[in-house]
Amino acid sequence: MRPLDLIGCGALNVDLIYRLPRSSALWEELGPPGAEQGMTAALRDHVDTALSGVEAVRSGGGQAANTVVAMARLGYRSAMIGRVGADDDGRFVIAEMAPAEARLVRRDGRTGRVYVLLDEDGERRNLVWPGANDAFSPLDVPRRPPRTRFALFASFVGDAPLEGQLSLLQRLPAETEIAFDPGEIYVRKGVKRVLPILQRCSYLFATERELEILCGLSLPEALEFVLGAGVNLVVCKMGSRGARLVGRRVDLYVPPMPTDVVDVTGAGDVFAAGFLAGLLEQVGLEGAGRLGAWAASRGIAGIGRTTYPDAVAWRSRLAVERGN
């Protein structure tokens, strides 16, 4: 069988996307724009009550899942490892993953949910109810994972699923390049918990704030630490300011591509898809960065995954990058 281009491993959720006015009382109870936090049952009940009169847009979600879907839509072979519920939300999430492969996704329990609260500028706060994701374990990992060029690890809420990811990490062959997007949930676990992934990580995707929280250091010191731990390249996501690619002998700036922002949810995930696809196409780091920025600009122009670029648009943009 032909190898995959990407395997993703992380939470699989149904995203419930709400656009709220600045006057909403919920903003006073939440963190700053971009914040992500787990939900207790009590908080979920409170949020459900507060949002009862607001219409939601439903979308498939999860950091690694977004990247897997975006890669598949660009025309590459990608698959997801994880858990959804044996419920309507689970069936919806699986259907939303097309054309990515979902045969390695276990279906049991109730599907995880993320409440994505958008302000009037398109900035978001995420509230995460993990559901079936919390049951992910080494038993969900295939003994012999499919061959793949890249494997992308992203966060779960609970502590136990990380053991499943470490099991997958051990079973992947040495030639598989590891990408890691820890997100705010994983960086708050501390660097020791995710050190095995960092030690084998080729590409670490993280914001400036996430790097500082992960290491408990200033940004320059945090970059030095993760590179010393084994990371080959840090893709430092800076939102509307673009991105920075930092390695032991490289420090490149990638400017953002202008667009009308509708929903920034998953912007970094789509950037990762464009970046990794650019590496597959051998356009170099700077070219891969520009392709990542292009993909992200398309992704944030609509709600959820509605404007993720397709293979036709990708081939056209790739030809521009190559000067054809």
Side-chain angles (χ1 to χ4, degrees):
M1 182 182 294
R2 186 162 60 93
L4 295 168
D5 297 306
L6 174 70
I7 284 177
C9 184
L12 279 161
N13 306 299
V14 59
D15 284 356
L16 300 175
I17 305 169
Y18 297 86
R19 186 173 293 278
L20 302 179
R22 291 188 177 91
S23 59
S24 174
L26 275 178
W27 296 131
E28 298 179 7
E29 305 176 36
L30 304 174
E36 186 171 62
Q37 66 186 83
M39 300 179 78
T40 62
L43 178 58
R44 181 182 172 183
D45 289 344
H46 171 65
V47 171
D48 280 340
T49 299
L51 297 173
S52 60
V54 184
E55 186 176 356
V57 174
R58 190 165 68 152
S59 175
Q63 289 171 273
N66 287 338
T67 302
V68 163
V69 170
M71 283 278 285
R73 292 189 185 178
L74 294 179
Y76 299 92
R77 295 193 68 225
S78 62
M80 189 71 190
I81 296 176
R83 268 183 174 260
V84 296
D87 53 15
D88 179 65
D89 279 346
R91 290 185 286 274
F92 174 81
V93 169
I94 294 297
E96 273 271 289
M97 288 192 63
E101 294 182 19
R103 58 189 172 86
L104 298 175
V105 175
R106 180 74 60 89
R107 306 171 200 197
D108 188 40
R110 294 180 64 190
T111 301
R113 287 187 168 190
V114 176
Y115 295 74
V116 181
L117 308 183
L118 299 177
D119 62 26
E120 293 180 359
D121 297 319
E123 294 292 340
R124 54 87 180 165
R125 282 85 160 170
N126 286 354
L127 301 174
V128 184
W129 183 76
N133 291 301
D134 266 359
F136 184 77
S137 76
L139 296 176
D140 296 312
V141 177
R143 288 186 175 274
R144 297 182 65 182
R147 288 186 300 145
T148 182
R149 167 69 184 278
F150 296 110
L152 172 66
F153 293 85
S155 66
F156 289 91
V157 173
D159 290 327
L162 178 57
E163 298 307 315
Q165 290 182 308
L166 296 180
S167 177
L168 174 60
L169 184 71
Q170 293 170 355
R171 298 177 193 183
L172 290 168
E175 60 267 24
T176 298
E177 294 188 78
I178 304 302
F180 185 31
D181 190 337
E184 188 166 336
I185 289 175
Y186 264 16
V187 300
R188 292 196 179 281
K189 294 182 184 296
V191 72
K192 289 184 180 179
R193 290 288 287 129
V194 298
L195 190 58
I197 303 178
L198 293 175
Q199 289 173 330
R200 197 181 154 183
C201 181
S202 295
Y203 306 101
L204 174 63
F205 297 88
T207 67
E208 296 163 302
R209 182 169 177 265
E210 288 168 352
L211 288 165
E212 291 174 340
I213 294 172
L214 175 67
C215 301
L217 299 168
S218 68
L219 181 61
E221 293 171 320
L223 287 167
E224 183 178 354
F225 180 89
V226 296
L227 291 171
V231 174
N232 288 337
L233 185 81
V234 180
V235 181
C236 187
K237 300 179 291 184
M238 301 186 297
S240 62
R241 294 181 290 121
R244 184 179 166 200
L245 312 180
V246 184
R248 294 175 183 84
R249 294 182 178 83
V250 64
D251 192 340
L252 299 172
Y253 171 65
V254 179
M257 290 200 171
T259 190
D260 292 327
V261 178
V262 174
D263 175 12
V264 300
T265 305
D269 309 330
V270 186
F271 182 102
F275 180 83
L276 295 175
L279 295 180
L280 286 170
E281 297 292 345
Q282 300 181 331
V283 298
L285 285 181
E286 196 166 359
R290 285 192 293 267
L291 289 169
W294 170 83
S297 73
R298 299 290 294 268
I300 64 178
I303 291 286
R305 296 172 177 166
T306 57
T307 56
Y308 282 16
D310 61 18
V312 174
W314 169 253
R315 290 295 161 187
S316 177
R317 182 61 186 83
L318 188 59
V320 172
E321 183 61 40
R322 287 174 165 157
N324 296 336

